[in-house]
Amino acid sequence: KSRGTTTAAPFVGRVRELEAREQGLELAARGQGRLFLIVGEPGIGKTRLAAEVCARAASRGMRALAGRCYEEAGSPPYWPWSEVLEPLLSGMKRKELGALLGENAPLVAAAFPFVGRLLGANGSAAPAGSAEELRFRMLNAVAGLLGKIASASPLCIVLDDLHWADEGTLKVLLTAARQIASARLMLVGTY
């Protein structure tokens, strides 16, 4: 090995777990969305298994993205979803993104400030409704957005260290998980 180059360590073990996720990737690519949670003690290899799933998703032609929750105070709400959504959305034209989000664009932009920047939001007023209703609509808009993006190209999303997730991050995951039965989307979480 020459100086300055690195090679990924070969993936060893976890054959059954990896086979189950491989099958999940295949089903998700055909429109049968899946949610997998990888649970275990620190250092057991959850993140490595999730990274291998991402690599295998990418080798199948799926878009594979990952977000991470952090233990430290100060990370913004929905941070791991921002890490996933920003690369997905940043290549879209304003009109395309606006059409995908529809009337809920201001709600999504309020939760994910980069969306407002992408839309060129100029102080658009949020739709009327109670705080609970607006949050419900935002969660469903984000979940619907994931489904729409995955309909064009299968998608694998990994959220690492969910034990440190904020409530909003978990609610987006739960909402998306409820809507993926017929989506070309695989969600993987570690905790």
Short mmCIF file of all heavy atoms in Angstrom, two decimals, residues 128-182:
data_model
loop_
_atom_site.label_atom_id
_atom_site.label_comp_id
_atom_site.label_asym_id
_atom_site.label_seq_id
_atom_site.Cartn_x
_atom_site.Cartn_y
_atom_site.Cartn_z
N ALA A 128 -52.17 28.37 7.90
CA ALA A 128 -52.88 28.50 9.17
C ALA A 128 -53.13 27.13 9.77
O ALA A 128 -53.27 26.14 9.06
CB ALA A 128 -54.20 29.23 8.96
N GLY A 129 -53.20 27.09 11.09
CA GLY A 129 -53.50 25.86 11.80
C GLY A 129 -52.84 25.86 13.15
O GLY A 129 -51.97 26.69 13.44
N SER A 130 -53.23 24.92 13.99
CA SER A 130 -52.62 24.81 15.31
C SER A 130 -51.18 24.33 15.15
O SER A 130 -50.81 23.76 14.12
CB SER A 130 -53.40 23.82 16.17
OG SER A 130 -53.23 22.50 15.68
N ALA A 131 -50.37 24.52 16.18
CA ALA A 131 -48.98 24.08 16.13
C ALA A 131 -48.88 22.58 15.88
O ALA A 131 -48.04 22.13 15.10
CB ALA A 131 -48.26 24.45 17.43
N GLU A 132 -49.77 21.81 16.51
CA GLU A 132 -49.76 20.36 16.32
C GLU A 132 -50.13 19.99 14.89
O GLU A 132 -49.51 19.11 14.28
CB GLU A 132 -50.74 19.67 17.30
CG GLU A 132 -50.33 19.77 18.75
CD GLU A 132 -50.72 21.11 19.39
OE1 GLU A 132 -51.57 21.85 18.83
OE2 GLU A 132 -50.14 21.44 20.43
N GLU A 133 -51.13 20.67 14.33
CA GLU A 133 -51.54 20.38 12.96
C GLU A 133 -50.42 20.74 11.98
O GLU A 133 -50.14 19.99 11.04
CB GLU A 133 -52.80 21.17 12.60
CG GLU A 133 -53.25 20.95 11.18
CD GLU A 133 -54.39 21.87 10.76
OE1 GLU A 133 -54.96 22.57 11.60
OE2 GLU A 133 -54.68 21.88 9.55
N LEU A 134 -49.79 21.88 12.19
CA LEU A 134 -48.72 22.30 11.29
C LEU A 134 -47.53 21.34 11.36
O LEU A 134 -46.93 21.02 10.34
CB LEU A 134 -48.29 23.73 11.61
CG LEU A 134 -49.36 24.80 11.37
CD1 LEU A 134 -48.85 26.17 11.80
CD2 LEU A 134 -49.80 24.82 9.91
N ARG A 135 -47.22 20.87 12.55
CA ARG A 135 -46.12 19.91 12.68
C ARG A 135 -46.47 18.61 11.99
O ARG A 135 -45.64 18.02 11.29
CB ARG A 135 -45.80 19.67 14.15
CG ARG A 135 -44.60 18.77 14.34
CD ARG A 135 -44.18 18.70 15.77
NE ARG A 135 -42.95 17.94 15.87
CZ ARG A 135 -42.33 17.72 16.99
NH1 ARG A 135 -42.78 18.23 18.11
NH2 ARG A 135 -41.24 17.00 17.01
N PHE A 136 -47.70 18.16 12.16
CA PHE A 136 -48.17 16.95 11.49
C PHE A 136 -48.04 17.10 9.97
O PHE A 136 -47.54 16.20 9.29
CB PHE A 136 -49.62 16.67 11.89
CG PHE A 136 -50.22 15.48 11.21
CD1 PHE A 136 -49.99 14.20 11.69
CD2 PHE A 136 -51.02 15.63 10.07
CE1 PHE A 136 -50.55 13.09 11.06
CE2 PHE A 136 -51.57 14.53 9.44
CZ PHE A 136 -51.35 13.26 9.93
N ARG A 137 -48.45 18.23 9.46
CA ARG A 137 -48.37 18.48 8.02
C ARG A 137 -46.92 18.53 7.54
O ARG A 137 -46.59 18.01 6.47
CB ARG A 137 -49.10 19.77 7.66
CG ARG A 137 -50.62 19.60 7.76
CD ARG A 137 -51.39 20.86 7.52
NE ARG A 137 -51.08 21.46 6.24
CZ ARG A 137 -51.43 22.70 5.92
NH1 ARG A 137 -52.09 23.44 6.77
NH2 ARG A 137 -51.11 23.18 4.73
N MET A 138 -46.04 19.13 8.34
CA MET A 138 -44.63 19.19 7.97
C MET A 138 -44.02 17.80 7.94
O MET A 138 -43.32 17.43 7.00
CB MET A 138 -43.85 20.08 8.96
CG MET A 138 -42.36 20.25 8.62
SD MET A 138 -41.26 18.91 9.15
CE MET A 138 -41.38 19.02 10.92
N LEU A 139 -44.30 16.99 8.96
CA LEU A 139 -43.77 15.63 9.00
C LEU A 139 -44.23 14.83 7.79
O LEU A 139 -43.45 14.13 7.16
CB LEU A 139 -44.19 14.94 10.30
CG LEU A 139 -43.62 15.50 11.60
CD1 LEU A 139 -44.31 14.88 12.81
CD2 LEU A 139 -42.12 15.29 11.67
N ASN A 140 -45.50 14.95 7.46
CA ASN A 140 -46.03 14.22 6.30
C ASN A 140 -45.48 14.77 5.00
O ASN A 140 -45.27 14.00 4.05
CB ASN A 140 -47.56 14.25 6.31
CG ASN A 140 -48.11 13.20 7.24
OD1 ASN A 140 -48.10 12.02 6.91
ND2 ASN A 140 -48.53 13.61 8.41
N ALA A 141 -45.23 16.07 4.93
CA ALA A 141 -44.63 16.65 3.73
C ALA A 141 -43.21 16.12 3.52
O ALA A 141 -42.83 15.78 2.39
CB ALA A 141 -44.62 18.18 3.82
N VAL A 142 -42.43 16.02 4.59
CA VAL A 142 -41.07 15.51 4.47
C VAL A 142 -41.10 14.03 4.08
O VAL A 142 -40.38 13.59 3.17
CB VAL A 142 -40.26 15.71 5.78
CG1 VAL A 142 -38.93 14.99 5.73
CG2 VAL A 142 -40.06 17.20 6.03
N ALA A 143 -41.96 13.24 4.73
CA ALA A 143 -42.07 11.83 4.39
C ALA A 143 -42.53 11.66 2.94
O ALA A 143 -42.00 10.82 2.20
CB ALA A 143 -43.03 11.13 5.35
N GLY A 144 -43.49 12.47 2.52
CA GLY A 144 -43.97 12.41 1.14
C GLY A 144 -42.88 12.80 0.16
O GLY A 144 -42.76 12.22 -0.93
N LEU A 145 -42.08 13.79 0.52
CA LEU A 145 -40.97 14.22 -0.32
C LEU A 145 -39.98 13.07 -0.53
O LEU A 145 -39.53 12.82 -1.65
CB LEU A 145 -40.27 15.41 0.33
CG LEU A 145 -39.03 15.96 -0.37
CD1 LEU A 145 -39.41 16.55 -1.72
CD2 LEU A 145 -38.37 17.01 0.50
N LEU A 146 -39.66 12.34 0.53
CA LEU A 146 -38.76 11.19 0.42
C LEU A 146 -39.34 10.15 -0.55
O LEU A 146 -38.63 9.62 -1.40
CB LEU A 146 -38.50 10.56 1.78
CG LEU A 146 -37.71 11.40 2.77
CD1 LEU A 146 -37.74 10.75 4.16
CD2 LEU A 146 -36.28 11.58 2.30
N GLY A 147 -40.63 9.89 -0.41
CA GLY A 147 -41.28 8.93 -1.30
C GLY A 147 -41.25 9.38 -2.75
O GLY A 147 -41.02 8.57 -3.66
N LYS A 148 -41.49 10.67 -2.98
CA LYS A 148 -41.47 11.18 -4.35
C LYS A 148 -40.07 11.10 -4.95
O LYS A 148 -39.91 10.74 -6.12
CB LYS A 148 -41.96 12.63 -4.37
CG LYS A 148 -43.44 12.76 -4.09
CD LYS A 148 -43.84 14.22 -3.97
CE LYS A 148 -45.27 14.36 -3.51
NZ LYS A 148 -45.63 15.78 -3.28
N ILE A 149 -39.07 11.43 -4.16
CA ILE A 149 -37.68 11.36 -4.66
C ILE A 149 -37.32 9.90 -4.96
O ILE A 149 -36.72 9.59 -5.98
CB ILE A 149 -36.70 11.98 -3.65
CG1 ILE A 149 -36.93 13.50 -3.59
CG2 ILE A 149 -35.26 11.66 -4.02
CD1 ILE A 149 -36.19 14.18 -2.45
N ALA A 150 -37.73 9.00 -4.06
CA ALA A 150 -37.43 7.58 -4.24
C ALA A 150 -38.17 6.98 -5.43
O ALA A 150 -37.70 6.00 -6.01
CB ALA A 150 -37.75 6.80 -2.97
N SER A 151 -39.30 7.57 -5.81
CA SER A 151 -40.02 7.04 -6.98
C SER A 151 -39.22 7.24 -8.26
O SER A 151 -39.33 6.46 -9.19
CB SER A 151 -41.41 7.67 -7.09
OG SER A 151 -41.32 9.02 -7.48
N ALA A 152 -38.40 8.29 -8.29
CA ALA A 152 -37.56 8.54 -9.47
C ALA A 152 -36.30 7.67 -9.45
O ALA A 152 -35.82 7.24 -10.49
CB ALA A 152 -37.17 10.01 -9.52
N SER A 153 -35.77 7.42 -8.26
CA SER A 153 -34.55 6.62 -8.12
C SER A 153 -34.55 6.03 -6.71
O SER A 153 -34.67 6.77 -5.74
CB SER A 153 -33.33 7.54 -8.31
OG SER A 153 -32.15 6.82 -8.08
N PRO A 154 -34.40 4.71 -6.59
CA PRO A 154 -34.43 4.08 -5.26
C PRO A 154 -33.43 4.74 -4.31
O PRO A 154 -32.37 5.19 -4.71
CB PRO A 154 -34.05 2.63 -5.52
CG PRO A 154 -34.27 2.41 -6.96
CD PRO A 154 -34.11 3.73 -7.64
N LEU A 155 -33.80 4.74 -3.05
CA LEU A 155 -33.08 5.52 -2.05
C LEU A 155 -32.86 4.68 -0.80
O LEU A 155 -33.76 3.98 -0.34
CB LEU A 155 -33.94 6.74 -1.73
CG LEU A 155 -33.46 7.86 -0.87
CD1 LEU A 155 -32.18 8.48 -1.40
CD2 LEU A 155 -34.55 8.93 -0.79
N CYS A 156 -31.65 4.77 -0.26
CA CYS A 156 -31.31 4.13 1.02
C CYS A 156 -30.81 5.24 1.95
O CYS A 156 -29.89 5.97 1.61
CB CYS A 156 -30.22 3.08 0.83
SG CYS A 156 -29.67 2.31 2.38
N ILE A 157 -31.46 5.36 3.10
CA ILE A 157 -31.10 6.40 4.07
C ILE A 157 -30.71 5.73 5.38
O ILE A 157 -31.46 4.91 5.92
CB ILE A 157 -32.27 7.37 4.31
CG1 ILE A 157 -32.59 8.12 3.02
CG2 ILE A 157 -31.96 8.33 5.45
CD1 ILE A 157 -33.83 8.98 3.10
N VAL A 158 -29.54 6.10 5.88
CA VAL A 158 -29.05 5.59 7.16
C VAL A 158 -29.01 6.75 8.15
O VAL A 158 -28.47 7.82 7.84
CB VAL A 158 -27.64 4.98 7.02
CG1 VAL A 158 -27.05 4.66 8.39
CG2 VAL A 158 -27.68 3.73 6.16
N LEU A 159 -29.58 6.53 9.32
CA LEU A 159 -29.50 7.49 10.42
C LEU A 159 -28.75 6.80 11.56
O LEU A 159 -29.23 5.82 12.12
CB LEU A 159 -30.89 7.93 10.88
CG LEU A 159 -31.75 8.60 9.81
CD1 LEU A 159 -33.12 8.92 10.38
CD2 LEU A 159 -31.09 9.86 9.28
N ASP A 160 -27.59 7.34 11.88
CA ASP A 160 -26.70 6.72 12.86
C ASP A 160 -26.89 7.35 14.24
O ASP A 160 -27.15 8.55 14.35
CB ASP A 160 -25.25 6.88 12.39
CG ASP A 160 -24.29 5.92 13.05
OD1 ASP A 160 -24.74 4.90 13.61
OD2 ASP A 160 -23.08 6.19 12.99
N ASP A 161 -26.73 6.55 15.26
CA ASP A 161 -26.77 6.98 16.67
C ASP A 161 -28.11 7.60 17.06
O ASP A 161 -28.18 8.66 17.69
CB ASP A 161 -25.62 7.95 16.96
CG ASP A 161 -24.27 7.27 16.92
OD1 ASP A 161 -24.20 6.07 17.23
OD2 ASP A 161 -23.27 7.94 16.57
N LEU A 162 -29.20 6.92 16.72
CA LEU A 162 -30.54 7.42 17.03
C LEU A 162 -30.79 7.57 18.53
O LEU A 162 -31.70 8.30 18.93
CB LEU A 162 -31.60 6.51 16.42
CG LEU A 162 -31.78 6.63 14.91
CD1 LEU A 162 -32.69 5.52 14.39
CD2 LEU A 162 -32.31 8.00 14.54
N HIS A 163 -29.99 6.94 19.37
CA HIS A 163 -30.16 7.10 20.82
C HIS A 163 -29.89 8.54 21.25
O HIS A 163 -30.28 8.94 22.34
CB HIS A 163 -29.29 6.10 21.59
CG HIS A 163 -27.87 6.07 21.13
ND1 HIS A 163 -27.49 5.37 20.00
CD2 HIS A 163 -26.75 6.64 21.61
CE1 HIS A 163 -26.19 5.52 19.82
NE2 HIS A 163 -25.72 6.28 20.78
N TRP A 164 -29.24 9.33 20.39
CA TRP A 164 -28.99 10.74 20.70
C TRP A 164 -29.91 11.67 19.91
O TRP A 164 -29.73 12.89 19.93
CB TRP A 164 -27.53 11.10 20.40
CG TRP A 164 -26.55 10.47 21.34
CD1 TRP A 164 -26.70 10.26 22.68
CD2 TRP A 164 -25.26 9.97 21.01
NE1 TRP A 164 -25.59 9.66 23.20
CE2 TRP A 164 -24.68 9.47 22.19
CE3 TRP A 164 -24.53 9.89 19.83
CZ2 TRP A 164 -23.42 8.91 22.24
CZ3 TRP A 164 -23.27 9.33 19.87
CH2 TRP A 164 -22.73 8.84 21.07
N ALA A 165 -30.87 11.10 19.20
CA ALA A 165 -31.73 11.90 18.34
C ALA A 165 -32.67 12.81 19.13
O ALA A 165 -33.14 12.44 20.21
CB ALA A 165 -32.56 10.99 17.44
N ASP A 166 -32.95 13.97 18.54
CA ASP A 166 -33.98 14.84 19.11
C ASP A 166 -35.35 14.28 18.74
O ASP A 166 -35.47 13.43 17.85
CB ASP A 166 -33.81 16.27 18.57
CG ASP A 166 -33.97 16.33 17.07
OD1 ASP A 166 -33.01 15.98 16.35
OD2 ASP A 166 -35.07 16.71 16.60
N GLU A 167 -36.37 14.75 19.42
CA GLU A 167 -37.73 14.25 19.21
C GLU A 167 -38.19 14.42 17.76
O GLU A 167 -38.81 13.53 17.18
CB GLU A 167 -38.70 14.96 20.16
CG GLU A 167 -40.13 14.51 20.01
CD GLU A 167 -41.09 15.27 20.90
OE1 GLU A 167 -40.67 16.14 21.67
OE2 GLU A 167 -42.29 15.00 20.77
N GLY A 168 -37.88 15.56 17.16
CA GLY A 168 -38.30 15.82 15.79
C GLY A 168 -37.70 14.82 14.80
O GLY A 168 -38.37 14.35 13.88
N THR A 169 -36.42 14.49 14.99
CA THR A 169 -35.77 13.52 14.12
C THR A 169 -36.48 12.18 14.18
O THR A 169 -36.73 11.55 13.15
CB THR A 169 -34.28 13.37 14.53
OG1 THR A 169 -33.60 14.59 14.23
CG2 THR A 169 -33.61 12.21 13.82
N LEU A 170 -36.83 11.76 15.39
CA LEU A 170 -37.52 10.48 15.54
C LEU A 170 -38.92 10.53 14.94
O LEU A 170 -39.38 9.55 14.34
CB LEU A 170 -37.58 10.09 17.02
CG LEU A 170 -36.22 9.82 17.67
CD1 LEU A 170 -36.38 9.57 19.16
CD2 LEU A 170 -35.50 8.67 16.98
N LYS A 171 -39.59 11.67 15.06
CA LYS A 171 -40.94 11.79 14.48
C LYS A 171 -40.89 11.75 12.95
O LYS A 171 -41.79 11.17 12.33
CB LYS A 171 -41.62 13.05 14.99
CG LYS A 171 -42.05 12.92 16.44
CD LYS A 171 -42.96 14.03 16.86
CE LYS A 171 -43.34 13.88 18.31
NZ LYS A 171 -44.55 13.11 18.50
N VAL A 172 -39.88 12.35 12.34
CA VAL A 172 -39.75 12.25 10.88
C VAL A 172 -39.53 10.79 10.50
O VAL A 172 -40.15 10.29 9.56
CB VAL A 172 -38.61 13.15 10.35
CG1 VAL A 172 -38.36 12.87 8.86
CG2 VAL A 172 -38.92 14.62 10.55
N LEU A 173 -38.66 10.09 11.23
CA LEU A 173 -38.40 8.68 10.94
C LEU A 173 -39.68 7.86 11.07
O LEU A 173 -40.00 7.05 10.19
CB LEU A 173 -37.31 8.14 11.88
CG LEU A 173 -36.97 6.65 11.73
CD1 LEU A 173 -36.46 6.34 10.33
CD2 LEU A 173 -35.95 6.24 12.78
N LEU A 174 -40.41 8.05 12.14
CA LEU A 174 -41.65 7.31 12.36
C LEU A 174 -42.67 7.60 11.26
O LEU A 174 -43.29 6.69 10.72
CB LEU A 174 -42.23 7.66 13.74
CG LEU A 174 -43.55 6.99 14.12
CD1 LEU A 174 -43.39 5.48 14.14
CD2 LEU A 174 -44.02 7.49 15.47
N THR A 175 -42.81 8.85 10.90
CA THR A 175 -43.76 9.23 9.84
C THR A 175 -43.35 8.62 8.51
O THR A 175 -44.18 8.07 7.78
CB THR A 175 -43.87 10.76 9.74
OG1 THR A 175 -44.24 11.29 11.02
CG2 THR A 175 -44.92 11.17 8.72
N ALA A 176 -42.06 8.71 8.18
CA ALA A 176 -41.58 8.13 6.93
C ALA A 176 -41.77 6.61 6.94
O ALA A 176 -42.19 6.03 5.93
CB ALA A 176 -40.11 8.49 6.71
N ALA A 177 -41.48 5.97 8.06
CA ALA A 177 -41.62 4.51 8.16
C ALA A 177 -43.06 4.07 7.93
O ALA A 177 -43.31 3.02 7.33
CB ALA A 177 -41.12 4.03 9.52
N ARG A 178 -44.00 4.89 8.35
CA ARG A 178 -45.42 4.56 8.16
C ARG A 178 -45.84 4.66 6.70
O ARG A 178 -46.87 4.11 6.31
CB ARG A 178 -46.29 5.49 8.99
CG ARG A 178 -46.23 5.22 10.46
CD ARG A 178 -47.07 6.21 11.22
NE ARG A 178 -47.06 5.90 12.63
CZ ARG A 178 -47.26 6.79 13.59
NH1 ARG A 178 -47.49 8.06 13.28
NH2 ARG A 178 -47.23 6.42 14.84
N GLN A 179 -45.08 5.37 5.90
CA GLN A 179 -45.49 5.64 4.53
C GLN A 179 -44.66 4.90 3.48
O GLN A 179 -44.85 5.14 2.29
CB GLN A 179 -45.41 7.15 4.25
CG GLN A 179 -46.36 7.96 5.09
CD GLN A 179 -46.29 9.44 4.78
OE1 GLN A 179 -45.75 9.86 3.77
NE2 GLN A 179 -46.86 10.24 5.65
N ILE A 180 -43.76 4.02 3.87
CA ILE A 180 -42.84 3.45 2.88
C ILE A 180 -43.27 2.11 2.30
O ILE A 180 -42.56 1.54 1.48
CB ILE A 180 -41.40 3.32 3.44
CG1 ILE A 180 -41.34 2.34 4.60
CG2 ILE A 180 -40.83 4.66 3.76
CD1 ILE A 180 -39.92 2.04 5.04
N ALA A 181 -44.42 1.61 2.65
CA ALA A 181 -44.81 0.28 2.19
C ALA A 181 -44.70 0.11 0.68
O ALA A 181 -44.27 -0.93 0.20
CB ALA A 181 -46.23 -0.04 2.65
N SER A 182 -45.05 1.14 -0.08
CA SER A 182 -44.98 1.02 -1.54
C SER A 182 -43.94 1.98 -2.13
O SER A 182 -44.01 2.32 -3.31
CB SER A 182 -46.35 1.28 -2.16
OG SER A 182 -46.78 2.59 -1.84
#
